Amino acid sequence: MDSEEMIESELEIDDDEGQHLYEHFRIEVDRGQEPLRIDKFLTEHMPHATRNRIQQAADAGFIHVGGHPVKNNYKVRAGDVITLMLNRPHYDTTIEPEELPLDVVYEDDQLMVVNKPAGLVVHPGVGNFHGTLVNAIAWHLRHLPSYDPNDPGVGLVHRIDKDTSGLLVVAKTPEAKTALGKQFFNHDTHRAYNALVWGHFTDDEGRIEGNIGRDPRDRQRMAVFPPDSDVGKPAVTHWRVLERFGYTTLVECRLETGRTHQIRAHMRHIGHPLFCDERYGGTEILRGERSSAYKAFIHNCFQLCPRQVLHARTLGFVHPATGRQMDFSSQWPPDMAAVIDKWRNYFRNLETTR
């Protein structure tokens, strides 16, 4: 979770009267400050928090001046001490090594490639301050003097969602992270995901282009906006069909960009949410029959793989020290393999009865 997500998560307000409040942010207004609404002032001084979130915090009584809550229309003055007081402690986000299972696919003195299981959070954040992938990496590299897990100049170069499985590259040195980061920024890496999505595709391949930004109706979900709009960040996904199962399709997705929830948001945008992706509508029965037997089949599929069926299958990049092309591939995890095999058998039986 990046700093913007951290602060936005902290500002998800749960207004319970009588709770002890904890200081999360403090600022003293400079001399010479002209009177200015406090929500606007804090928007300028808390760059990773939106004005809407700040207004919600003030409405809940969590924005204080001189130790007392104020409303959004309060105008700050020189010398005011403004604090953000939330109803939970301010957690220490220092990354500590933790002895956790880690599937290392490749390792040398510059980098390593790991295969992340579904269900494992990549980076500590609100609600997940321990037991993450970076804690496991810190333990694995605990004897490497040059590796500081709290130094943003080393470590994970990119991320995948908690319930997505697959390959990630970790830089052990600042030089490696800079070089790999440039490759990701310039779209010179090769990344392919396998996904099971709802629906039938007439075409064998296609391209999705659309800006991705926070869904204004659900801040935990991303939405797709027109490419020529000023909302969100540009994103492009290329897909091709690997196998058809009648009511679902196994596809490969290749990314030109690496936006948050890119594949999940893009596939939902074109009417093909990922199978069992609760946040994007994939836990509804979107295609198929009305029979009780079919409903039971879908329910069994959801139990086999109770998360979005998405796996970072391949990863390719140029080694930052040797200049050699490095390409890696990982097998589907058991839950994904099981649900795909179940759909394959279902489709075969469906074809034979027609």
Side-chain angles (χ1 to χ4, degrees):
M1 181 177 288
D2 59 28
S3 57
E4 179 176 358
E5 291 172 316
M6 276 283 292
I7 291 177
E8 290 225 348
S9 296
E10 285 187 341
L11 290 182
E12 290 290 345
I13 302 306
D14 183 13
D15 186 10
D16 291 325
E17 293 184 4
Q19 286 198 67
H20 181 73
L21 299 180
Y22 302 86
E23 183 179 307
H24 283 238
F25 177 82
R26 171 183 288 260
I27 187 171
E28 182 173 351
V29 180
D30 292 337
R31 294 180 179 178
Q33 172 68 50
E34 296 293 329
L36 183 67
R37 280 179 58 112
I38 195 167
D39 53 352
K40 186 174 182 181
F41 176 85
L42 288 177
T43 301
E44 295 174 354
H45 290 82
M46 297 176 69
H48 297 299
T50 65
R51 189 171 183 179
N52 183 53
R53 284 285 185 267
I54 291 169
Q55 289 172 343
Q56 289 178 12
D59 290 340
F62 293 164
I63 303 294
H64 290 204
V65 174
H68 301 285
V70 297
K71 297 301 182 183
N72 288 302
N73 60 0
Y74 174 85
K75 292 190 176 181
V76 302
R77 295 182 291 271
D80 278 350
V81 176
I82 304 171
T83 54
L84 169 66
M85 308 295 293
L86 297 181
N87 53 3
R88 51 187 171 272
H90 186 75
Y91 292 101
D92 181 4
T93 56
T94 302
I95 297 168
E96 299 290 345
E98 295 181 33
E99 189 174 7
L100 302 166
L102 186 66
D103 182 6
V104 179
V105 176
Y106 172 84
E107 184 173 10
D108 61 29
D109 62 347
Q110 295 290 313
L111 58 89
M112 66 180 186
V113 176
V114 298
N115 190 26
K116 187 189 85 68
L120 181 64
V121 176
V122 169
H123 198 278
V126 175
N128 296 283
F129 287 95
H130 302 284
T132 73
L133 180 62
V134 297
N135 295 113
I137 293 169
W139 177 269
H140 182 80
L141 299 177
R142 67 192 183 280
H143 299 308
L144 185 64
S146 61
Y147 187 84
D148 178 359
N150 294 286
D151 180 2
V154 295
L156 284 167
V157 182
H158 59 123
R159 301 179 186 184
I160 55 179
D161 299 333
K162 171 188 173 182
D163 289 325
T164 299
S165 54
L167 298 172
L168 290 163
V169 61
V170 181
K172 292 184 177 181
T173 68
E175 295 77 16
K177 188 161 187 182
T178 298
L180 290 167
K182 286 182 179 178
Q183 292 183 52
F184 276 87
F185 181 79
N186 294 325
H187 316 311
D188 293 330
T189 57
H190 306 287
R191 288 181 290 166
Y193 291 71
N194 286 175
L196 183 68
V197 304
W198 279 104
H200 174 79
F201 288 84
T202 303
D203 297 329
D204 291 333
E205 60 185 27
R207 180 179 184 273
I208 310 168
E209 181 176 5
N211 290 8
I212 291 180
R214 294 280 175 190
D215 189 332
R217 294 169 296 183
D218 183 350
R219 297 292 296 176
Q220 294 187 344
R221 189 171 65 185
M222 308 304 286
V224 180
F225 302 92
D228 57 353
S229 71
D230 294 329
V231 183
K233 297 179 180 179
V236 176
T237 303
H238 299 270
W239 60 266
R240 70 181 182 93
V241 171
L242 298 177
E243 198 169 352
R244 291 180 170 90
F245 304 126
Y247 304 130
T248 60
T249 305
L250 179 64
V251 297
E252 177 188 81
C253 294
R254 291 188 175 271
L255 304 180
E256 280 191 24
T257 53
R259 308 305 181 199
T260 301
H261 297 183
Q262 178 170 325
I263 293 172
R264 300 166 68 188
H266 267 173
M267 295 310 291
R268 178 180 184 269
H269 179 66
I270 65 169
H272 296 281
L274 269 62
F275 189 78
C276 206
D277 188 350
E278 182 175 10
R279 183 160 290 172
Y280 289 88
T283 51
E284 302 292 329
I285 301 179
L286 301 178
R287 302 287 191 280
E289 306 167 12
R290 297 183 178 180
S291 68
S292 57
Y294 181 73
K295 291 178 181 178
F297 165 76
I298 297 297
H299 178 71
N300 289 336
C301 287
F302 288 162
Q303 288 187 318
L304 273 177
C305 189
R307 50 103 176 184
Q308 66 259 15
V309 187
L310 180 63
H311 178 67
R313 183 72 180 266
T314 65
L315 174 64
F317 53 85
V318 174
H319 194 284
T322 67
R324 183 163 57 95
Q325 177 67 35
M326 308 286 287
D327 292 293
F328 301 92
S329 181
S330 63
Q331 297 300 312
W332 298 330
D335 60 348
M336 183 167 173
V339 77
I340 289 173
D341 192 52
K342 194 170 183 68
W343 268 105
R344 186 178 288 125
N345 291 331
Y346 176 85
F347 185 57
R348 285 173 183 165
N349 294 333
L350 189 66
E351 290 290 279
T352 57
T353 58
R354 285 179 175 174

